Amino acid sequence: MAGIYVHIPFCSSFCLYCDFYSELAAGKMDGWIEALSLEISRRKGFLHTAPSTLYLGGGTPSLLSEAQLRRLMAALRSGFGLGALEEATIEVNPDDVTAGKAALWREAGFDRISMGVQAFDDDRLRWMRRRHSAREAVRAFHTLREAGFDNISLDLIFGYAMLDRDSWLHDIGEVIKLAPEHVSCYQMSIEPGSALGEMASAGRYAEPSQEVCAAEYSMLQQRLSDAGYRQYEISNFAREGFRARHNSAYWRREPYLGLGPGAHSFDGESRYWNEADLDGYIAALRSGEDAPGGSETLSAADVFNEQLMLGLRTIEGLDTAALDGGLLCGAQPAIEKAAGRGDLILEGTRIRIPAGRLFVSDAIVAALFQ
Ligand code: SF4
């Protein structure tokens, strides 16, 4: 398996909590596509196999016009051939979804939509500085269905001060009513580069306690499970047969090529990244150079820690037989201690974090690092 990720570094405004690399779309998108086509030509040989998944993320991929999307897909097709794709996902924002755009996304070859809904309440959406209302999100979902998309993922956010128990149950209930195939759910965090980060530094925002967030997470797990969704990763829930293939490959440490400023790549041994700098990216590629960025060759300990960190995000956990034997010996006392506390389940050579402890998985995994 190998995947391609394209980072679309444009938004038409910025959400309160977001620190993803993105710029205002005005005027730069055509230059970015030209540079991206050049990057595709330079990196044709990065994956040694035809890609099986494609993911357009951002930023806001749904901002791309018809001409821009066609140009991007043509460049990807000529660089990599997209005939072996098993999944092609595009992230969309509800306010961009029209019948025309939905038809275009299908025609361009996308069979999966990931839509950021985040909440089903206009006051909270306004506070988050989202560009859509709850009603628009519902309308967008139905428009996607009418266009024939039968694999839709909706994103929700919990763990912020404006959310209380009833409003969270309302959000979860609205998602369940829409019955998407997949749900991703993230805890809002205070990122230093975000507007929320500035508010927190100025003393104008305080996060809810971890106990409150843990209770919201547990409600989510319970309600989605009751509605027939199976949790397969810390933040992801799917109906049978609809796990996200692209993201699942990240957790299995399969190779992927990331294109665009701010994108990361992995060839199975080393990690690479493009600098999050659109102007520098366009200038370098136009001058016949590689996109500015860096790389890191992973040590045996880095690989071991990544295997734990990524594998233990998933409900199946990981097979310790695939880990470095010497490092595993070093981690064994910590593994046994975690199992004794109920933080890990040991099944033959497999280890996994039980669903009830996934909320604190970061601390559980960090204690095993070598
Ligand atoms: S959350 Fe999405 S739409 Fe909002 S600023 Fe971040 S990348 Fe842009």
Side-chain angles (χ1 to χ4, degrees):
M1 297 275 291
I4 292 182
Y5 172 82
V6 184
H7 187 68
I8 284 80
F10 301 105
C11 291
S12 45
S13 62
F14 300 111
C15 304
L16 184 79
Y17 49 84
C18 181
D19 76 333
F20 291 156
Y21 174 57
S22 187
E23 302 209 4
L24 284 177
K28 291 192 175 175
M29 290 172 83
D30 288 330
W32 164 78
I33 292 199
E34 178 203 333
L36 191 76
S37 305
L38 294 167
E39 189 189 13
I40 288 170
S41 313
R42 298 181 78 86
R43 302 187 79 188
K44 273 181 187 171
F46 184 90
L47 297 174
H48 299 291
T49 175
S52 44
T53 61
L54 170 66
Y55 194 104
L56 260 56
T60 313
S62 50
L63 278 180
L64 293 174
S65 68
E66 177 170 353
Q68 289 163 340
L69 185 65
R70 287 192 194 284
R71 201 169 155 198
L72 168 60
M73 295 306 290
L76 289 169
R77 220 170 278 118
S78 96
F80 306 105
L82 299 180
L85 282 187
E86 293 169 11
E87 177 190 273
T89 305
I90 181 167
E91 284 181 358
V92 309
N93 273 17
D95 46 314
D96 293 327
V97 177
T98 61
K101 276 208 162 172
L104 168 70
W105 297 329
R106 273 190 71 80
E107 193 210 316
F110 292 94
D111 59 3
R112 184 169 183 274
I113 295 277
S114 171
M115 184 162 75
V117 171
Q118 319 310 6
F120 283 90
D121 172 80
D122 291 347
D123 286 340
R124 286 182 285 125
L125 287 167
R126 264 192 298 274
W127 175 76
M128 290 181 198
R129 302 185 191 169
R130 298 290 297 171
R131 295 185 290 278
H132 59 88
S133 64
R135 183 191 285 248
E136 269 182 303
V138 172
R139 178 201 53 79
F141 182 85
H142 292 308
T143 301
L144 293 167
R145 280 284 195 244
E146 280 154 22
F149 282 104
D150 56 7
N151 188 357
I152 301 178
S153 178
L154 298 182
D155 285 4
L156 281 182
I157 297 183
F158 71 101
Y160 52 97
M162 296 270 292
L163 192 67
D164 60 25
R165 184 180 187 281
D166 288 346
S167 47
W168 183 226
L169 288 177
H170 168 75
D171 287 353
I172 301 169
E174 291 300 299
V175 161
I176 291 171
K177 259 197 248 166
L178 288 175
E181 285 66 37
H182 189 280
V183 180
S184 296
C185 191
Y186 303 97
Q187 182 178 354
M188 190 177 287
S189 54
I190 298 179
E191 302 299 335
S194 67
L196 189 66
E198 284 170 26
M199 281 168 59
S201 310
R204 288 186 287 117
Y205 178 77
E207 284 181 306
S209 68
Q210 282 307 91
E211 288 71 32
V212 166
C213 298
E216 289 169 358
Y217 185 74
S218 168
M219 276 179 231
L220 174 84
Q221 289 179 307
Q222 191 58 54
R223 294 285 162 124
L224 288 183
S225 164
D226 291 347
Y229 292 89
R230 176 157 158 74
Q231 181 170 21
Y232 66 101
E233 193 263 352
I234 294 171
S235 307
N236 288 287
F237 303 78
R239 293 203 183 280
E240 188 67 36
F242 288 97
R243 292 185 181 200
R245 294 181 188 211
H246 184 85
N247 288 350
S248 297
Y250 290 152
W251 305 319
R252 290 194 299 265
R253 296 184 74 252
E254 288 169 8
Y256 59 91
L257 170 62
L259 299 161
H264 289 236
S265 304
F266 178 57
D267 64 4
E269 286 176 8
S270 300
R271 296 205 173 265
Y272 305 80
W273 58 91
N274 288 346
E275 272 175 24
D277 169 13
L278 178 62
D279 292 335
Y281 175 83
I282 293 174
L285 285 153
R286 275 187 181 155
S287 337
E289 294 163 19
D290 284 336
S295 66
E296 181 191 14
T297 302
L298 304 176
S299 68
D302 291 335
V303 171
F304 180 86
N305 293 340
E306 272 195 15
Q307 286 172 312
L308 286 175
M309 195 172 62
L310 296 170
L312 290 176
R313 295 185 66 89
T314 64
I315 213 79
E316 281 89 15
L318 86 156
D319 188 351
T320 55
L323 299 174
D324 178 283
L327 292 166
L328 180 60
C329 268
Q332 206 58 46
I335 289 175
E336 276 157 28
K337 224 164 134 188
R341 282 195 306 267
D343 285 345
L344 276 182
I345 294 177
L346 316 184
E347 287 161 338
T349 56
R350 292 199 79 82
I351 57 174
R352 66 182 171 89
I353 297 178
R357 304 295 293 153
L358 280 175
F359 185 73
V360 290
S361 62
D362 283 351
I364 295 171
V365 174
L368 312 181
F369 281 167
Q370 294 299 293

